[in-house]
């Protein structure tokens, strides 16, 4: 109810009601003025545009900060469980988290590219935590055991997933920094041309 009081529909309805009251005070409507005021309020409220729907979080800085905190917590958890993690997986998690953390440290710029923002968020919020959590939920003796028929072990699967995620994170970072790379190349070209013309 309180939310409705500040809504566009209520404000428009109030304008309609005030018009009805003005009509009464100027003598245009007589004893039925309460019905006129209520009717104009209803008409104006119904004609007012609906409230804007916000499907994308408004505070991109807060969302990026939360994702960075979650990544830090994941890295801490993996580091604490290092004896259970296979080979270079701890370093793999750190590398992927590091790339994502760097991208998330620039939330305004990230929000300017919705595709990149979506891919970073998916990796940080779903893919990386899911891979690590699924592996850690397995008993240690089972995770390292090679499956029948030469199927890869859970450890092998985790290492493969981390490698794929690191490749994807690098690809996303290349898209994110493409403008900077072009700007740097343009500046190098400018400096060379200036040197040649000196």
């Amino acid at each position: 109810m309180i939310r409705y009081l500040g809504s566009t529909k209520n404000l428009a309805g109030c304008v309609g009601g005030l018009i009805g009251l003005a009509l009464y005070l100027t003598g245009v409507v007589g004893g039925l003025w309460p019905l006129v005021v209520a009717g104009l309020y209803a008409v104006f409220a119904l004609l007012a545009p609906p409230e804007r729907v916000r499907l994308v979080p408004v505070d991109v800085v807060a969302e990026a900060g939360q994702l960075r905190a979650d990544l830090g917590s994941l890295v801490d958890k993996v580091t604490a469980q290092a004896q259970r993690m296979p080979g270079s997986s701890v370093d793999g998690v750190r590398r992927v988290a590091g790339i994502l953390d760097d991208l998330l440290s620039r939330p305004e710029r990230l929000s300017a590219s919705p595709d990149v923002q979506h891919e970073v968020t998916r990796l940080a919020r779903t893919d990386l935590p899911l891979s690590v959590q699924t592996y850690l939920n397995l008993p240690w003796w089972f995770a390292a055991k090679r499956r029948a028929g030469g199927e890869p072990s859970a450890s092998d699967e985790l290492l493969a997933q981390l490698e794929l995620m690191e490749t994807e994170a690098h690809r996303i970072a290349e898209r994110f920094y493409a403008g900077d790379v072009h700007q740097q190349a343009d500046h190098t070209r400018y400096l060379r041309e200036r040197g040649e013309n000196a």
Side-chain angles (χ1 to χ4, degrees):
M1 180 64 184
I2 293 175
R3 187 174 175 185
Y4 178 75
L5 293 176
S7 71
T8 306
K9 289 194 172 291
N10 184 45
L11 295 175
C14 288
V15 169
L18 286 174
I19 291 171
L21 192 57
L23 291 174
Y24 168 70
L25 293 174
T26 57
V28 176
V29 293
L32 296 176
W33 69 270
L35 291 175
V36 172
V37 169
L40 285 173
Y41 175 90
V43 168
F44 274 64
L46 289 172
L47 291 177
E51 295 297 314
R52 293 183 70 179
V53 177
R54 297 192 183 274
L55 299 177
V56 178
V58 177
D59 193 353
V60 293
V61 174
E63 184 189 22
Q66 183 60 52
L67 282 172
R68 291 180 76 194
D70 292 346
L71 281 172
S73 176
L74 178 68
V75 170
D76 291 344
K77 185 178 192 180
V78 167
T79 303
Q81 296 284 333
Q83 74 281 0
R84 287 210 42 215
M85 301 291 288
S88 61
S89 62
V90 175
D91 289 334
V93 170
R94 285 186 184 134
R95 285 193 302 271
V96 174
I99 296 167
L100 297 175
D101 183 72
D102 184 63
L103 298 173
L104 289 164
S105 69
R106 297 163 175 85
E108 289 89 0
R109 184 170 171 194
L110 190 61
S111 67
S113 178
D115 290 343
V116 172
Q117 182 181 14
H118 171 71
E119 291 175 350
V120 169
T121 302
R122 184 183 59 208
L123 271 176
R125 181 171 285 149
T126 306
D127 296 338
L128 186 59
L130 180 65
S131 291
V132 172
Q133 193 61 55
T134 302
Y135 179 82
L136 289 175
N137 283 340
L138 294 171
W140 67 268
W141 56 267
F142 182 81
K145 181 180 175 186
R146 196 155 285 281
R147 299 198 324 244
E151 292 285 321
S153 66
S155 298
D156 295 333
E157 295 284 8
L158 177 63
L159 291 171
Q161 289 168 6
L162 289 171
E163 186 178 332
L164 291 168
M165 283 186 276
E166 187 173 357
T167 300
E168 185 177 358
H170 279 292
R171 181 183 51 77
I172 294 167
E174 284 174 16
R175 284 176 52 204
F176 185 75
Y177 292 116
D180 295 325
V181 171
H182 291 305
Q183 183 178 358
Q184 189 176 29
D186 289 342
H187 191 61
T188 302
R189 198 166 24 258
Y190 161 75
L191 291 172
R192 282 192 180 127
E193 289 172 0
R194 191 173 74 181
E196 290 168 0
N197 295 330

